[in-house]
Amino acid sequence: MVLWIALWVSPVWAQSDPPGRVGQINYVEGVVTFSPAGDNEWIDAILNRPLVRGDRLWTDKGSRAEIQVGSAAVRMSGQTQLEVLALDDQSTQLSVTQGTVYVRVRSLPEGENFEIDTPNLAYRAAYPGDYRVDVDAAGGTSRVTIHSGTGAVYGEAGQSLPLGGGQQITFRARSLAQVDKQESPPQDNFDRWAAERNRREDQSVSARYVPREVVGYQQLDAHGQWSQDPTYGPVWVPQGTPANWAPYRDGRWEWMAPWGWTWIDNAPWGFAPSHYGRWAMINSRWAWVPGRLGFRPIYAPALVAFIGGGSISAWSIPIAAGRPGFAWFPLGPGEAWQPGFKASPTYVSNVNRNMSPLASASYVHQGRPEALTALSTEDFQRGRPVGASWLRVAANVLTKAQIVPPPPMPEARVLASRERLAVARAAPPSPADTRQVASGSAPSPAQKQATQPPAQAQRTEAKASAPAKSEQAKAAEQAKSVAQARAAEQAKAAEQSRLAEQAKAAEQAKAAEQAKAVAAQAREAEQVKLAQQAKLAQQSKAAQQAKLAEQANLAQQAKLAERAKAADQAKLAQQAVAAQRAKLALQQQAKTAEQARIAQQAKLEQAAQQSRSAEQARLAQKAKASERGKRIEQAKAEEALKRERHAKATTPAARREQVLAHRSEPAAKQRETVVKRQVAAREEQVRRTAASRRPVYARQEPGVQDAHAQRVEQSRRAAARDAETLRLQREQARREGQDYEQSQRESWDRYQQTVSEQWRRDQAAEQQRERARQRPSLRSDRPSQPSEVWQRGIPILNSGPTS
């Protein structure tokens, strides 16, 4: 472990932090060739090989390709040449010398640049969107189409032109001279193919578990399944793996600066699981654990740990037949990766985000033979495939092995003798050849021979020289006959050429002096321009900071207003609930009082009814008794009158009267009238007598009537008291209802005032936001603001590919 640290800090490994973002070829259709950085040989495109600065790609006729750079996707049509000019954490710069590219920029944080360069212009995206760039090398034009988003094009002298969604403009030369302009151009087959790729990318299942900055996440959908593990969280399990398979076992190692030894997996899904996350063994199956990668995951060349020890060297271990070799195993969840080069603590922390540094003895896969893979030193350094030649490490050697840093950089002769795993291809046509063929003039045999592969060029040269040998003798005779004549002409031409060369040299010297003076003036003007643009950039930065501060202030005010509005609404809601409860209580009290009044009134009515019934019964009984006494008295009076009449009728006087009555009718009528009078007088006397002889209950009638009158008066007074109580209760309920209505009106007035005040605050905030929107955007690229051009850094445009 001490040796590893000593080597890690040695000058051999000293270098700055490498970029944390790379590219990768996601999709290949047809013939796609590739030329690594610093190499002029073209080979078939290699899947899962990282794309870095200086790499070049070429798609043949009818072919297509797609590469992923961070979260952006770059799609190439047929006969397109693309070169990676810059690729790091802050910028992505691609050069298209001919053909068509369709770019989808999914995210573009502040301070990052995404740029497409052509021989005529440089296009830079200002916001996420879909863009298309067509380069016609034969016609010398570049066409930019904006499907969505915004950006700007820049010329050689700093000219700029902003472009928005739906625009399509064709430019010629490097001064942004417009040839054609069109709004909302129709889509062709390449646009529809790119749109279909966008749709598949949007529907990716793996994007739910890992950030879209993880290069190669799209291939995980079709070659495995996601599941939720209680220990590690989301995990991905590959499908269709062969027996004895383990991570970092089916592929090869390649030395790539500045990372060193880089793993290139053979599986179509092998890029993301090889350079991000960790591997775990779950139920005897390997599962990839991405962990919490964050929005900007950092690329690593290979997340493995090497083991070594023994008498051979500090890095290698003895394997089959005592031969030296290298052995490695995948890192498990939570295990920190140590780079094989010097890096800052910030870089190591970002790579091992959410990982804890562990001791060498605590690696979970170190003691598992099924996780360990070994390869001989020769096969490792020559980049031979591991899947067919990997070896096992003996148990006694494995117990003595220790964690060591990655193997050192091989010698130059070893790198030069590395085996090529891809078929070599002819170089793509240069823009000059393309222009000549497109203009209609046929290339010369020498030009054809220059563009052919070496073997084909040799066959063409041998074929052309065969018929020429038969005419060499005749040509020699003719040459000898005219040699003397041409000698004089050549001498004369040589003298003229010498004089012309002297004049040309003088002219060139003069032109050089003029160019030097012009260059000096240009440098001075450039320095003045740089100073002015630096000043403008500083002013722009200050204005941007002021704008950000103002936006933060507006956001804070809006947040406070929203909180006040929410508090007022909650208070009003609480008051409304309290008022509703008070109203319900008053209604309940009024209902209870009304029920009591109704019950009391029913009780009084029942008592009055009972009193009336009793009085009627008493009066009926009294009338019945009086009637019965009256009949008795009348019967007695009639009986006495009958006896008296009988007595009178039996006397002589009565008999004489009867005789006289028979004699005289008028006299009889008079006597009848007298008798009736007597009878009436007698009845009056009988009534008086009966009245004087009334029973005791009749004589007590005034006292009974007084008692009844008292009871009636008491009932009346009780009913009056109940009516007064009910009236007072109704009066109190009416006053409480008026108070509740008054409180409701006051609450409504306060609510109206609050709403009016909030409306005024919202209007003021909206006016402030409108004024902020009307200010010029600091990110927009305008011709009147050349400082934005220099702030972002316009590249030097080249007419051809650079490496």
Side-chain angles (χ1 to χ4, degrees):
M1 198 67 179
V2 176
L3 178 61
W4 186 6
I5 297 175
L7 291 172
W8 182 65
V9 300
S10 63
V12 177
W13 302 89
Q15 63 182 32
S16 59
D17 292 341
R21 182 166 57 180
V22 297
Q24 186 232 355
I25 302 176
N26 272 343
Y27 177 81
V28 171
E29 178 182 332
V31 178
V32 180
T33 56
F34 166 75
S35 178
D39 194 348
N40 292 327
E41 186 176 0
W42 289 82
I43 59 177
D44 287 335
I46 303 174
L47 294 178
N48 296 331
R49 185 191 186 278
L51 293 178
V52 296
R53 178 180 179 181
D55 290 346
R56 293 176 291 172
L57 289 172
W58 164 259
T59 55
D60 208 347
K61 184 176 181 181
S63 303
R64 289 173 180 174
E66 176 185 292
I67 64 175
Q68 180 184 356
V69 180
S71 63
V74 181
R75 300 176 176 94
M76 303 170 57
S77 182
Q79 294 183 323
T80 300
Q81 184 172 353
L82 182 142
E83 181 180 358
V84 181
L85 299 181
L87 181 56
D88 52 34
D89 298 336
Q90 286 77 32
S91 62
T92 300
Q93 187 176 0
L94 307 176
S95 174
V96 181
T97 55
Q98 65 183 60
T100 302
V101 294
Y102 186 106
V103 183
R104 186 187 196 187
V105 179
R106 183 175 288 274
S107 63
L108 191 64
E110 187 70 26
E112 293 188 10
N113 290 331
F114 193 98
E115 184 174 307
I116 301 292
D117 296 343
T118 72
N120 304 102
L121 52 85
Y123 172 77
R124 180 173 298 150
Y127 292 96
D130 293 350
Y131 318 101
R132 172 171 170 169
V133 178
D134 297 84
V135 178
D136 184 3
T141 60
S142 298
R143 182 174 61 197
V144 180
T145 306
I146 311 297
H147 292 289
S148 63
T150 58
V153 291
Y154 299 90
E156 185 180 24
Q159 308 95 330
S160 64
L161 177 65
L163 299 178
Q167 285 186 300
Q168 182 185 82
I169 303 179
T170 303
F171 301 92
R172 184 186 298 276
R174 300 185 181 182
S175 58
L176 299 185
Q178 298 185 18
V179 178
D180 187 18
K181 184 176 182 181
Q182 186 177 2
E183 297 291 337
S184 301
Q187 294 186 352
D188 56 8
N189 292 331
F190 183 62
D191 290 327
R192 288 187 285 271
W193 174 77
E196 177 63 21
R197 297 291 298 177
N198 288 342
R199 186 187 63 81
R200 293 185 180 182
E201 183 179 299
D202 295 337
Q203 296 176 356
S204 175
V205 178
S206 300
R208 306 174 188 173
Y209 303 96
V210 297
R212 294 188 182 270
E213 289 280 344
V214 174
V215 179
Y217 73 92
Q218 300 93 334
Q219 282 72 21
L220 301 178
D221 296 336
H223 298 90
Q225 292 182 351
W226 287 92
S227 62
Q228 194 75 19
D229 186 79
T231 303
Y232 306 116
V235 298
W236 179 82
V237 179
Q239 295 177 347
T241 55
N244 296 328
W245 179 88
Y248 302 98
R249 184 171 289 177
D250 185 14
R252 62 187 180 89
W253 291 94
E254 182 175 343
W255 181 269
M256 295 183 62
W259 295 278
W261 290 111
T262 302
W263 176 258
I264 300 177
D265 204 275
N266 289 338
W269 48 264
F271 193 92
S274 299
H275 305 291
Y276 307 93
R278 303 293 187 269
W279 283 91
M281 181 73 75
I282 303 176
N283 297 329
S284 70
R285 295 190 65 183
W286 286 102
W288 181 56
V289 183
R292 297 187 296 272
L293 295 176
F295 175 72
R296 291 294 299 273
I298 306 299
Y299 163 84
L303 295 169
V304 300
F306 288 87
I307 62 173
S311 60
I312 299 179
S313 69
W315 289 279
S316 61
I317 60 174
I319 53 176
R323 292 186 303 165
F326 300 109
W328 62 90
F329 59 87
L331 295 177
E335 297 174 355
W337 172 72
Q338 292 293 339
F341 48 85
K342 184 178 179 181
S344 65
T346 302
Y347 175 82
V348 178
S349 176
N350 291 334
V351 173
N352 297 303
R353 186 180 291 115
N354 302 319
M355 300 293 177
S356 300
L358 303 176
S360 60
S362 60
Y363 287 96
V364 66
H365 301 314
Q366 181 178 358
R368 293 181 176 178
E370 65 274 13
L372 192 67
T373 306
L375 196 66
S376 65
T377 303
E378 182 181 2
D379 294 341
F380 184 92
Q381 293 182 348
R382 291 186 180 276
R384 292 173 180 169
V386 180
S389 56
W390 71 280
L391 303 171
R392 295 184 182 273
V393 181
N396 57 347
V397 177
L398 184 60
T399 55
K400 299 178 182 180
Q402 298 179 356
I403 302 298
V404 297
M409 179 180 178
E411 298 179 358
R413 58 181 180 83
V414 177
L415 289 177
S417 62
R418 289 178 59 86
E419 297 181 1
R420 291 285 187 181
L421 300 180
V423 179
R425 296 284 184 176
S430 64
D433 298 336
T434 305
R435 286 193 296 270
Q436 185 179 18
V437 173
S439 61
S441 61
S444 64
Q447 292 173 345
K448 289 184 178 180
Q449 184 175 356
T451 58
Q452 290 174 352
Q456 187 175 358
Q458 293 176 1
R459 290 193 299 269
T460 304
E461 183 180 359
K463 184 178 179 180
S465 62
K469 292 181 180 179
S470 61
E471 298 181 358
Q472 288 180 356
K474 185 177 180 180
E477 292 294 333
Q478 292 177 357
K480 186 177 179 179
S481 63
V482 296
Q484 296 177 355
R486 287 187 178 180
E489 294 179 0
Q490 288 178 357
K492 185 178 180 180
E495 183 66 19
Q496 293 177 354
S497 177
R498 185 179 63 80
L499 296 175
E501 288 292 337
Q502 291 178 357
K504 185 177 180 180
E507 186 178 356
Q508 289 178 351
K510 184 178 180 181
E513 291 294 333
Q514 294 178 354
K516 187 175 180 181
V518 172
Q521 294 177 358
R523 282 196 298 272
E524 293 178 358
E526 188 71 19
Q527 290 177 358
V528 173
K529 186 178 179 179
L530 286 174
Q532 185 179 2
Q533 289 181 350
K535 184 177 179 181
L536 292 176
Q538 188 175 3
Q539 294 177 356
S540 176
K541 185 176 180 181
Q544 186 176 4
Q545 292 177 354
K547 181 181 178 181
L548 292 176
E550 184 178 359
Q551 291 177 352
N553 189 15
L554 292 175
Q556 185 69 18
Q557 291 179 359
K559 189 175 181 181
L560 293 176
E562 188 68 21
R563 289 181 179 177
K565 183 178 179 180
D568 293 340
Q569 291 178 353
K571 185 176 180 181
L572 291 175
Q574 187 176 4
Q575 291 178 355
V577 171
Q580 186 69 17
R581 289 179 179 176
K583 182 178 179 180
L584 293 175
L586 291 175
Q587 291 178 355
Q588 187 65 26
Q589 291 179 0
K591 185 177 180 180
T592 304
E594 184 67 20
Q595 291 177 353
R597 184 189 66 78
I598 293 173
Q600 185 67 22
Q601 186 176 2
K603 186 176 180 182
L604 293 175
E605 291 179 355
Q606 185 177 4
Q609 184 67 24
Q610 291 178 356
S611 177
R612 287 194 297 272
S613 299
E615 183 66 19
Q616 290 176 359
R618 187 184 64 78
L619 293 175
Q621 187 176 5
K622 180 179 179 182
K624 187 175 181 182
S626 177
E627 184 67 23
R628 187 170 57 253
K630 185 176 180 180
R631 286 197 301 270
I632 293 172
E633 290 294 332
Q634 187 176 1
K636 288 181 179 182
E638 290 179 353
E639 185 65 28
L641 182 59
K642 185 178 181 180
R643 283 194 301 270
E644 186 178 357
R645 287 179 178 176
H646 181 69
K648 287 181 177 182
T650 58
T651 61
R655 285 193 295 276
R656 284 194 299 269
E657 289 179 357
Q658 293 178 355
V659 172
L660 291 174
H662 288 288
R663 291 178 180 177
S664 180
E665 184 67 26
K669 291 182 179 180
Q670 293 178 356
R671 284 194 296 274
E672 186 177 358
T673 301
V674 172
V675 170
K676 289 182 179 180
R677 293 178 180 175
Q678 290 177 357
V679 170
R682 186 63 179 169
E683 289 179 354
E684 181 66 24
Q685 186 178 1
V686 172
R687 279 196 303 273
R688 292 178 181 177
T689 302
S692 62
R693 295 179 180 179
R694 286 182 299 178
V696 179
Y697 67 86
R699 291 197 299 271
Q700 294 178 354
E701 182 178 356
V704 175
Q705 292 179 353
D706 293 339
H708 175 68
Q710 291 178 359
R711 287 195 297 272
V712 172
E713 184 65 21
Q714 291 176 358
S715 299
R716 187 187 64 76
R717 291 178 181 177
R721 286 195 302 273
D722 293 340
E724 183 65 20
T725 302
L726 181 60
R727 187 185 64 79
L728 293 176
Q729 291 178 352
R730 289 181 176 176
E731 184 66 22
Q732 183 179 0
R734 185 182 62 80
R735 288 196 300 270
E736 291 177 352
Q738 291 178 353
D739 295 340
Y740 170 74
E741 291 178 357
Q742 182 65 22
S743 64
Q744 287 292 99
R745 285 194 295 271
E746 293 176 355
S747 299
W748 177 253
D749 293 339
R750 289 194 299 271
Y751 174 73
Q752 291 291 338
Q753 294 177 0
T754 304
V755 171
S756 300
E757 184 66 24
Q758 182 62 32
W759 181 82
R760 286 192 294 270
R761 289 198 295 267
D762 294 343
Q763 290 294 324
E766 181 64 26
Q767 292 176 0
Q768 292 179 358
R769 287 193 292 271
E770 183 66 23
R771 289 195 297 269
R773 284 194 297 268
Q774 291 177 358
R775 295 192 183 97
S777 178
L778 297 179
R779 291 193 63 183
S780 62
D781 298 323
R782 299 183 177 179
S784 60
Q785 296 180 353
S787 61
E788 179 65 13
V789 177
W790 290 96
Q791 184 178 358
R792 291 179 175 267
I794 299 304
I796 299 176
L797 301 177
N798 298 320
S799 60
T802 59
S803 60

